Amino acid sequence: MDTIELDVKSYEAMVVVNGEINNLDEIQLLRLSITQPYFQSSQKIIIENAVIDLYEDEVLIGSYNYTQDGEYKLSHKGKIGSSYKLEIKLPEMPDHPGFSSKVISSKSEKLEPVSEITGISYEFKPESLVFEEGYYLFIDTYDPKGKGNNYRWKVKVNGEFSNDPRQIMVVEDNRLDGNLITGLDLTYDPFQEGDEIVVYQQSISNTFYQYLFDIYMQALTQESFFDSPAYNPKSNLISDIPVVGYFNASAYHTAGIIIGE
């Protein structure tokens, strides 16, 4: 049997930051970890006991508390119209000395308002050449006049969100500006009778829109004729060490429905 040597470029570890500040009455979450080589099958490398400060309109308003599994929590409700940024000081990291005590900050993001979901409905569609059999979900909403109102929709089904990047649903304002939006289809896979649905309509910045869109396009073209080399989407994080991820500020409006009722 022949031995095949794969030409794999040298691996460079990067810190991963994923977090959000929003206007919901809930605990704000942030996660810190370190990337691993593609072929490494061990559990993810988490970062414990970092010091993470949150600034609101350039004023320090609180620090995140470490819980477990690389997750940090802060009790604070974001204010629409305010701007937010992070400052992270990493702990001593003997296994990654190049990261020890390094600082990561995020560019300031304004928490923009979000339009209401004015209607939510579903429709059963039989199997056809175009549709799979099942229930399809639709919402009505609107976009205020003026550029800069970008949106993301997340659909929670029976208490869970999908982690499939192919199901990222975003749109930029220049396609909607000042218009009513009726019958927007938020179905990726058809729903079933009895499914409990909650739709989260989310305001997002121009840069976060592009970040999410880049992830979506890479996921959509994987293993396809149009597949292109993977790349890290542009982040809003700043450091002198390699870092990926995003810290965003968003407002939400939600609406729910039970399929079949």
Side-chain angles (χ1 to χ4, degrees):
M1 180 180 295
D2 294 334
T3 300
I4 300 175
E5 298 291 341
L6 295 177
D7 182 16
V8 181
K9 293 183 179 180
S10 60
Y11 161 70
E12 179 183 36
M14 294 181 285
V15 175
V16 183
V17 180
N18 284 308
E20 174 181 273
I21 178 74
N22 59 52
N23 67 329
L24 300 178
D25 287 316
E26 60 183 31
I27 299 296
Q28 307 293 337
L29 301 178
L30 184 137
R31 294 178 174 85
L32 290 180
S33 60
I34 296 176
T35 59
Q36 298 181 73
Y38 183 81
F39 294 105
Q40 185 170 318
S41 59
S42 61
Q43 294 183 339
K44 67 178 180 180
I45 304 171
I46 61 174
I47 299 177
E48 301 178 339
N49 303 317
V51 177
I52 306 175
D53 294 330
L54 178 67
Y55 290 82
E56 181 180 83
D57 297 327
E58 302 298 328
V59 177
L60 175 64
I61 56 168
S63 299
Y64 286 75
N65 295 312
Y66 180 69
T67 55
Q68 59 182 359
D69 298 329
E71 185 174 82
Y72 297 76
K73 296 183 178 181
L74 173 64
S75 178
H76 183 76
K77 182 178 179 179
K79 298 177 183 177
I80 291 175
S82 288
S83 295
Y84 295 88
K85 66 179 183 180
L86 285 178
E87 186 172 283
I88 302 169
K89 184 177 181 182
L90 299 178
E92 291 296 319
M93 303 175 67
D95 292 337
H96 295 276
F99 294 162
S100 291
S101 301
K102 290 293 187 177
V103 173
I104 301 168
S105 60
S106 68
K107 296 180 181 178
S108 181
E109 279 219 345
K110 187 177 180 181
L111 203 161
E112 299 284 1
V114 66
S115 301
E116 295 182 358
I117 298 171
T118 57
I120 184 169
S121 60
Y122 58 83
E123 176 186 342
F124 179 80
K125 295 185 179 182
E127 187 173 358
S128 68
L129 293 176
V130 179
F131 297 105
E132 295 181 47
E133 181 176 294
Y135 290 89
Y136 288 71
L137 181 72
F138 305 92
I139 65 164
D140 300 331
T141 185
Y142 60 92
D143 179 66
K145 189 68 176 176
K147 295 295 179 70
N149 305 299
N150 306 305
Y151 300 93
R152 179 187 187 184
W153 292 275
K154 297 189 288 188
V155 180
K156 182 184 285 186
V157 184
N158 300 322
E160 294 187 2
F161 289 110
S162 170
N163 291 320
D164 188 341
R166 295 171 299 174
Q167 296 188 28
I168 291 174
M169 292 179 277
V170 293
V171 67
E172 56 185 337
D173 188 40
N174 60 14
R175 302 184 183 184
L176 304 173
D177 189 39
N179 291 319
L180 295 174
I181 306 164
T182 58
L184 179 64
D185 188 349
L186 298 183
T187 309
Y188 187 83
D189 293 317
F191 302 99
Q192 304 301 314
E193 187 171 353
D195 281 346
E196 296 184 12
I197 310 297
V198 180
V199 176
Y200 288 70
Q201 183 162 288
Q202 175 184 2
S203 64
I204 58 176
S205 65
N206 292 332
T207 50
F208 192 43
Y209 164 81
Q210 192 60 55
Y211 175 84
L212 292 170
F213 186 75
D214 286 349
I215 292 174
Y216 168 75
M217 289 304 298
Q218 288 192 69
L220 200 65
T221 57
Q222 282 181 355
E223 300 179 359
S224 74
F225 180 77
F226 301 100
D227 195 4
S228 58
Y231 61 93
N232 292 317
K234 187 176 181 180
S235 173
N236 70 337
L237 303 169
I238 305 166
S239 184
D240 61 358
I241 59 172
V243 59
V244 292
Y246 205 97
F247 179 74
N248 71 288
S250 291
Y252 284 88
H253 187 263
T254 65
I257 197 169
I258 299 177
I259 301 296
E261 294 188 1

